[in-house]
Amino acid sequence: MMTGANVATVIVMLLVGYSDRINPSDHPLMSTVGMAFPILLVINMAFLLFWLIFKWSRAWVPAVGFVIAYVPISIYMPINVVFSPPDDAIKLVSYNVCSYNGNFKYQQGFEKISDYLHEEQPDIVCLQEDNDVLRRNAFSEYEKKGFPYNDTIVLCCDELRYNGLGIHTRYPIIRRERINYPTASNNGSAAWWLQVGKDTLLVVNNHFESCHLNQQDRQQYRQLLKGEMARDSVRAESQLLMVKLAEANAKRSKQIEAVCDFVDQYIGRYPIIVCGDFNDNPISFSRHRMAKSLTDCFKETGRGIGLSYNQKAFSFRIDHVFCSSNITPYQCHVDTKMDASDHYPMVCWLKFDVNP
């Protein structure tokens, strides 16, 4: 019976691991199961420990499970040899700053983030939720000390919502373009063309559809994970949560497709970097679809799980960096020492295969 349960776990783990092929527009609810992948990994690891203690000859079952699930495991938690980036590699920081007050830990969150960016000395900074209107001009003046070229695109602005995408760079901005796609409420994507030496680099900064979970949803989700919710409420709350996630996934899939279609026009013409807050975990259609066109920098050069969203019970890698095949990524990682937002920054070095 235990062997059968372990085999069933392996089968489900495989199905969930490859669920990123499911387009949420076609099967919204099925597209949410990727969030369960780490739970299945833990269960299979528990089986491995159980067999090693009580009947080591059956340990091959979970071991084989890990081997045949190598592809989704390498996406969720890659283990790569770390190589030092070459001196001429470009350093990129992608960071959802949550309006500069995401964690409410610092009275001067704006200055904390600005000081961090100056200390890191990146060549390109892509910000999501770059929303501090009152300090926008001051920020530009402050950043010019380290980043002579600065631009922000306002995605939405009304009485209830405000959101913007910002770029701060050492390279001249040639032009910019807002990428239009359906179902956008207060999210969006934008492209900037940068002059890097004699070449042109295309940088696409994104803030895709959020799951729109309010504080009550989050609290109930935590209770659900801890087993603190009343039994008669578990099913109803689980269904409500799944519906919200499914609806967000369906909207996000159209946004992802629009950005991929935009990027596909320029593959081979320019070196391309795509980054930002995808609001989706590694085992998702969002990441899978983008990785069909571009290289997932964390998967190729990162190590471990890389949790970029730092709220308790919602710890996932939802921030991503991708690059075209004529760029080699190095040391893509989540910088957990910077905690002035509800996200951690994604940091990556990128080397042009042909020097600009």
Side-chain angles (χ1 to χ4, degrees):
M1 187 172 63
M2 290 294 290
T3 303
N6 196 174
V7 170
T9 297
V10 170
I11 293 173
V12 175
M13 182 173 67
L14 284 172
L15 294 174
V16 170
Y18 287 97
S19 65
D20 56 1
R21 275 70 173 171
I22 299 174
N23 191 324
S25 295
D26 301 325
H27 305 284
L29 285 173
M30 289 294 295
S31 70
T32 65
V33 299
M35 295 178 65
F37 187 70
I39 298 173
L40 294 164
L41 284 178
V42 171
I43 294 173
N44 198 49
M45 179 60 71
F47 271 115
L48 179 61
L49 296 175
F50 174 84
W51 293 127
L52 289 174
I53 295 171
F54 295 103
K55 196 168 185 177
W56 63 267
S57 61
R58 298 289 177 89
W60 66 269
V61 178
V64 168
F66 284 128
V67 171
I68 60 180
Y70 170 77
V71 171
I73 291 174
S74 68
I75 293 171
Y76 184 76
M77 47 181 301
I79 302 297
N80 294 295
V81 177
V82 177
F83 295 98
S84 298
D87 293 337
D88 57 349
I90 290 173
K91 185 177 183 180
L92 170 82
V93 172
S94 177
Y95 191 15
N96 184 324
V97 296
C98 196
S99 303
Y100 303 100
N101 60 5
N103 268 356
F104 302 99
K105 295 179 64 175
Y106 306 99
Q107 291 184 351
Q108 297 179 317
F110 176 89
E111 288 76 11
K112 180 75 175 178
I113 291 172
S114 295
D115 290 343
Y116 164 79
L117 295 176
H118 281 285
E119 291 171 4
E120 289 297 306
Q121 296 186 333
D123 299 292
I124 301 172
V125 178
C126 290
L127 300 181
Q128 302 86 47
E129 297 191 30
D130 188 9
N131 299 353
D132 197 329
V133 183
L134 296 177
R135 305 197 197 197
R136 177 75 51 74
N137 294 331
F139 182 81
S140 296
E141 292 300 318
Y142 184 69
E143 288 303 307
K144 283 178 182 177
K145 299 175 184 177
F147 307 106
Y149 306 98
N150 304 272
D151 189 35
T152 301
I153 289 182
V154 176
L155 300 177
C156 67
C157 181
D158 57 37
E159 295 179 354
L160 298 177
R161 302 170 301 170
Y162 189 95
N163 196 8
L165 294 172
I167 188 169
H168 309 279
T169 175
R170 304 183 192 280
Y171 306 114
I173 299 172
I174 301 172
R175 67 185 180 98
R176 69 175 186 177
E177 180 178 338
R178 172 82 182 267
I179 302 175
N180 294 314
Y181 45 64
T183 70
S185 53
N186 63 330
N187 304 96
S189 301
W192 284 268
W193 283 259
L194 308 182
Q195 187 69 48
V196 182
K198 297 180 180 180
D199 208 344
T200 300
L201 171 66
L202 175 59
V203 179
V204 181
N205 188 8
N206 305 275
H207 187 194
F208 291 118
E209 190 75 20
S210 170
C211 295
H212 303 293
L213 299 180
N214 56 38
Q215 289 299 323
Q216 182 179 355
D217 295 331
R218 295 169 188 269
Q219 181 61 33
Q220 289 172 340
Y221 175 67
R222 296 186 184 100
Q223 292 177 354
L224 186 64
L225 290 181
K226 295 177 181 179
E228 298 175 351
M229 185 176 292
R231 183 175 300 178
D232 57 349
S233 301
V234 169
R235 183 171 182 176
E237 295 300 333
S238 298
Q239 289 177 341
L240 179 61
L241 180 64
M242 292 289 283
V243 167
K244 285 194 173 185
L245 294 174
E247 289 176 348
N249 285 355
K251 291 181 180 179
R252 194 182 304 115
S253 67
K254 294 181 174 64
Q255 299 170 4
I256 291 286
E257 291 284 8
V259 173
C260 287
D261 290 343
F262 175 87
V263 168
D264 288 344
Q265 301 176 64
Y266 299 103
I267 289 179
R269 296 170 57 186
Y270 305 115
I272 300 171
I273 299 170
V274 175
C275 63
D277 178 4
F278 279 53
N279 271 310
D280 221 339
N281 71 92
I283 308 299
S284 65
F285 176 80
S286 301
R287 193 221 67 89
H288 173 74
R289 176 63 183 90
M290 193 66 69
K292 289 175 66 176
S293 299
L294 303 169
T295 300
D296 182 341
C297 297
F298 190 89
K299 176 182 178 296
E300 296 302 320
T301 69
R303 293 177 64 89
I305 300 174
L307 305 177
S308 65
Y309 188 65
N310 57 39
Q311 299 303 287
K312 292 181 179 179
F314 288 88
S315 297
F316 295 101
R317 186 170 78 250
I318 64 174
D319 300 87
H320 303 278
V321 178
F322 296 85
C323 65
S324 53
S325 60
N326 50 4
I327 297 177
T328 301
Y330 292 86
Q331 293 187 16
C332 188
H333 67 280
V334 176
D335 191 350
T336 56
K337 73 176 183 289
M338 184 55 199
D339 59 352
S341 171
D342 54 357
H343 291 243
Y344 293 126
M346 289 288 291
V347 182
C348 188
W349 283 262
L350 302 135
K351 168 71 168 64
F352 289 85
D353 289 347
V354 178
N355 290 326

